[in-house]
PDB file of all heavy atoms in Angstrom:
ATOM      1  N   CYS A 121     -34.843   7.055 -22.901  1.00 97.00           N
ATOM      2  CA  CYS A 121     -34.866   8.092 -23.932  1.00 97.00           C
ATOM      3  C   CYS A 121     -35.127   9.462 -23.304  1.00 97.00           C
ATOM      4  O   CYS A 121     -36.282   9.863 -23.133  1.00 97.00           O
ATOM      5  CB  CYS A 121     -35.957   7.777 -24.956  1.00 97.00           C
ATOM      6  SG  CYS A 121     -35.990   6.062 -25.548  1.00 97.00           S
ATOM      7  N   PRO A 177     -29.760   7.576 -31.460  1.00 96.00           N
ATOM      8  CA  PRO A 177     -30.935   6.770 -31.809  1.00 96.00           C
ATOM      9  C   PRO A 177     -30.808   6.010 -33.122  1.00 96.00           C
ATOM     10  O   PRO A 177     -31.174   4.831 -33.190  1.00 96.00           O
ATOM     11  CB  PRO A 177     -32.065   7.806 -31.887  1.00 96.00           C
ATOM     12  CG  PRO A 177     -31.602   8.966 -31.068  1.00 96.00           C
ATOM     13  CD  PRO A 177     -30.111   8.990 -31.232  1.00 96.00           C
ATOM     14  N   LEU A 214     -38.875   1.132 -24.815  1.00 98.00           N
ATOM     15  CA  LEU A 214     -38.491   2.544 -24.808  1.00 98.00           C
ATOM     16  C   LEU A 214     -39.131   3.230 -23.610  1.00 98.00           C
ATOM     17  O   LEU A 214     -40.351   3.196 -23.446  1.00 98.00           O
ATOM     18  CB  LEU A 214     -38.957   3.225 -26.096  1.00 98.00           C
ATOM     19  CG  LEU A 214     -38.541   2.571 -27.424  1.00 98.00           C
ATOM     20  CD1 LEU A 214     -39.124   3.360 -28.597  1.00 98.00           C
ATOM     21  CD2 LEU A 214     -37.021   2.498 -27.534  1.00 98.00           C
ATOM     22  N   PRO A 223     -40.102  11.332 -26.802  1.00 93.00           N
ATOM     23  CA  PRO A 223     -40.125  12.352 -27.853  1.00 93.00           C
ATOM     24  C   PRO A 223     -40.833  11.788 -29.084  1.00 93.00           C
ATOM     25  O   PRO A 223     -40.746  10.584 -29.357  1.00 93.00           O
ATOM     26  CB  PRO A 223     -38.642  12.611 -28.142  1.00 93.00           C
ATOM     27  CG  PRO A 223     -37.907  12.072 -26.960  1.00 93.00           C
ATOM     28  CD  PRO A 223     -38.732  10.952 -26.432  1.00 93.00           C
ATOM     29  N   PRO A 224     -41.545  12.627 -29.856  1.00 93.00           N
ATOM     30  CA  PRO A 224     -42.286  12.134 -31.033  1.00 93.00           C
ATOM     31  C   PRO A 224     -41.417  11.347 -32.015  1.00 93.00           C
ATOM     32  O   PRO A 224     -41.851  10.322 -32.541  1.00 93.00           O
ATOM     33  CB  PRO A 224     -42.817  13.429 -31.675  1.00 93.00           C
ATOM     34  CG  PRO A 224     -42.895  14.403 -30.552  1.00 93.00           C
ATOM     35  CD  PRO A 224     -41.755  14.062 -29.634  1.00 93.00           C
ATOM     36  N   GLU A 225     -40.187  11.814 -32.245  1.00 94.00           N
ATOM     37  CA  GLU A 225     -39.328  11.122 -33.213  1.00 94.00           C
ATOM     38  C   GLU A 225     -38.907   9.740 -32.723  1.00 94.00           C
ATOM     39  O   GLU A 225     -38.616   8.841 -33.525  1.00 94.00           O
ATOM     40  CB  GLU A 225     -38.092  11.973 -33.549  1.00 94.00           C
ATOM     41  CG  GLU A 225     -37.116  12.189 -32.391  1.00 94.00           C
ATOM     42  CD  GLU A 225     -37.490  13.356 -31.496  1.00 94.00           C
ATOM     43  OE1 GLU A 225     -38.628  13.846 -31.588  1.00 94.00           O
ATOM     44  OE2 GLU A 225     -36.619  13.761 -30.697  1.00 94.00           O
ATOM     45  N   ILE A 226     -38.871   9.553 -31.408  1.00 95.00           N
ATOM     46  CA  ILE A 226     -38.561   8.238 -30.842  1.00 95.00           C
ATOM     47  C   ILE A 226     -39.813   7.374 -30.811  1.00 95.00           C
ATOM     48  O   ILE A 226     -39.781   6.186 -31.158  1.00 95.00           O
ATOM     49  CB  ILE A 226     -37.992   8.378 -29.416  1.00 95.00           C
ATOM     50  CG1 ILE A 226     -36.683   9.166 -29.435  1.00 95.00           C
ATOM     51  CG2 ILE A 226     -37.783   7.009 -28.782  1.00 95.00           C
ATOM     52  CD1 ILE A 226     -35.551   8.506 -30.177  1.00 95.00           C
ATOM     53  N   SER A 227     -40.931   7.973 -30.444  1.00 95.00           N
ATOM     54  CA  SER A 227     -42.208   7.253 -30.374  1.00 95.00           C
ATOM     55  C   SER A 227     -42.562   6.645 -31.724  1.00 95.00           C
ATOM     56  O   SER A 227     -43.113   5.536 -31.796  1.00 95.00           O
ATOM     57  CB  SER A 227     -43.312   8.208 -29.907  1.00 95.00           C
ATOM     58  OG  SER A 227     -44.518   7.536 -29.746  1.00 95.00           O
ATOM     59  N   ARG A 228     -42.242   7.346 -32.798  1.00 95.00           N
ATOM     60  CA  ARG A 228     -42.559   6.841 -34.147  1.00 95.00           C
ATOM     61  C   ARG A 228     -41.789   5.582 -34.496  1.00 95.00           C
ATOM     62  O   ARG A 228     -42.169   4.842 -35.417  1.00 95.00           O
ATOM     63  CB  ARG A 228     -42.283   7.932 -35.192  1.00 95.00           C
ATOM     64  CG  ARG A 228     -43.316   9.055 -35.200  1.00 95.00           C
ATOM     65  CD  ARG A 228     -43.170   9.919 -36.445  1.00 95.00           C
ATOM     66  NE  ARG A 228     -41.936  10.697 -36.423  1.00 95.00           N
ATOM     67  CZ  ARG A 228     -41.846  11.936 -35.941  1.00 95.00           C
ATOM     68  NH1 ARG A 228     -42.911  12.527 -35.423  1.00 95.00           N
ATOM     69  NH2 ARG A 228     -40.695  12.580 -35.976  1.00 95.00           N
ATOM     70  N   GLU A 229     -40.688   5.320 -33.810  1.00 96.00           N
ATOM     71  CA  GLU A 229     -39.897   4.124 -34.085  1.00 96.00           C
ATOM     72  C   GLU A 229     -40.520   2.858 -33.484  1.00 96.00           C
ATOM     73  O   GLU A 229     -40.136   1.747 -33.834  1.00 96.00           O
ATOM     74  CB  GLU A 229     -38.483   4.294 -33.516  1.00 96.00           C
ATOM     75  CG  GLU A 229     -37.671   5.410 -34.137  1.00 96.00           C
ATOM     76  CD  GLU A 229     -37.189   5.082 -35.550  1.00 96.00           C
ATOM     77  OE1 GLU A 229     -37.281   3.893 -35.941  1.00 96.00           O
ATOM     78  OE2 GLU A 229     -36.755   6.010 -36.248  1.00 96.00           O
ATOM     79  N   ALA A 230     -41.469   3.034 -32.576  1.00 97.00           N
ATOM     80  CA  ALA A 230     -42.042   1.880 -31.873  1.00 97.00           C
ATOM     81  C   ALA A 230     -42.989   1.091 -32.770  1.00 97.00           C
ATOM     82  O   ALA A 230     -43.789   1.657 -33.516  1.00 97.00           O
ATOM     83  CB  ALA A 230     -42.793   2.344 -30.630  1.00 97.00           C
TER      84      ALA A 230
END
Side-chain angles (χ1 to χ4, degrees):
C121 313
L214 307 178
E225 66 275 14
I226 298 296
S227 184
R228 286 193 291 268
E229 296 287 347

